[in-house]
Amino acid sequence: MFTGIIEAVGVVAAAEEVQGDLRLYIRTGDLDLSDVKLGDSIAVNGVCLTAVALPGDGFWADVSRETLVHTRFPSVVPGERVNLEKAMQPTTRFGGHIVTGHVDGLGEVISVETDARSIRYKISAPKGIARYIAAKGSITVDGVSLTANAVDGHVFDLNIVPHTAQETIIASYQSGRKVHLEVDIIARYMERLINYTDDNITEAVGGVSMATLASAGFLNRR
């Protein structure tokens, strides 16, 4: 589990094809690895990867074919900068939102413009996941917990303040850049509960339906 608060920016040191999938070596820069052991999870641009070797200045991770299909890792090259976050601990301050590190799909930056000291981006989301993105709701972009300022169809707006631009790779984005998107996990589970029609399952979760959600105040009633 992660929070979407980036701890450091690292660099892809090596990307090697191994029997049809990929092995990445990430130099972690200022990320403290003193409490990281083999098998621990580290989010790289929002993708939960497992440390399989710890040479000292970074870690090696295997990237499965499943992950390659849903991320832009097939196109990464040595020297590329990446956002890094270690898995949260029970004592971690929860500064962002619940992030699983399981990418839902690839978005695309379609415009970039400055707004005083901030940078504003418009990002196009795949239509299959756009329905989970709400104005003023949480969205994870390359592992960064952000707020969608506005949503128009499958396009959402971001306002990046100077601190976020400085501490992540977002300031380097240009139009056409592919980015990892993870939607709010609550939205995904809510849809599953609403749409699942099996009587036994519905009973097991307390009879969740459109009517019960409306009566609880989660939906606008007319």
Side-chain angles (χ1 to χ4, degrees):
M1 190 71 68
F2 306 92
T3 69
I5 303 301
I6 301 305
E7 297 179 271
V9 172
V11 176
V12 176
E16 302 176 354
E17 184 178 346
V18 181
Q19 297 179 4
D21 56 28
L22 188 68
R23 174 166 285 194
L24 291 178
Y25 178 33
I26 309 295
R27 287 201 176 96
T28 50
D30 293 333
L31 188 70
D32 181 11
L33 296 179
S34 62
D35 59 348
V36 175
K37 60 184 183 300
L38 293 181
D40 282 355
S41 297
I42 299 177
V44 178
N45 278 359
V47 182
C48 179
L49 297 179
T50 299
V52 298
L54 294 163
D57 63 346
F59 69 99
W60 285 92
D62 291 321
V63 183
S64 69
R65 291 176 63 86
E66 171 70 13
T67 301
L68 292 173
V69 168
H70 295 285
T71 69
R72 60 182 300 274
F73 282 160
S75 64
V76 298
V77 294
E80 183 170 330
R81 300 167 72 240
V82 290
N83 294 324
L84 300 175
E85 180 189 359
K86 294 184 293 186
M88 66 180 294
Q89 298 178 336
T91 56
T92 301
R93 186 186 299 274
F94 208 111
H97 71 284
I98 298 173
V99 176
T100 65
H102 303 155
V103 170
D104 291 297
L106 286 172
E108 181 176 343
V109 177
I110 58 175
S111 72
V112 183
E113 62 180 39
T114 58
D115 184 5
R117 294 188 303 122
S118 295
I119 309 173
R120 299 186 72 92
Y121 295 92
K122 288 186 181 295
I123 296 180
S124 173
K127 292 182 179 180
I129 68 172
R131 63 181 180 273
Y132 300 112
I133 304 172
K136 304 306 179 184
S138 296
I139 181 71
T140 306
V141 178
D142 275 349
V144 185
S145 174
L146 298 170
T147 299
N149 289 333
V151 179
D152 182 9
H154 61 280
V155 175
F156 63 95
D157 295 354
L158 297 174
N159 182 82
I160 305 301
V161 298
H163 177 79
T164 303
Q166 180 178 340
E167 299 298 325
T168 71
I169 65 172
I170 293 180
S172 66
Y173 291 172
Q174 297 180 351
S175 295
R177 161 85 182 210
K178 300 292 186 180
V179 293
H180 298 148
L181 300 180
E182 181 185 333
V183 299
D184 189 346
I185 190 172
I186 295 175
R188 285 188 294 185
Y189 280 116
M190 184 67 74
E191 180 185 58
R192 175 69 169 170
L193 291 171
I194 291 173
N195 291 335
Y196 205 100
T197 58
D198 185 281
D199 292 338
N200 293 329
I201 296 296
T202 301
E203 182 179 354
V205 299
V208 176
S209 66
M210 295 295 287
T212 56
L213 290 174
S215 65
F218 288 103
L219 301 176
N220 292 326
R221 289 170 288 181
R222 297 181 181 178

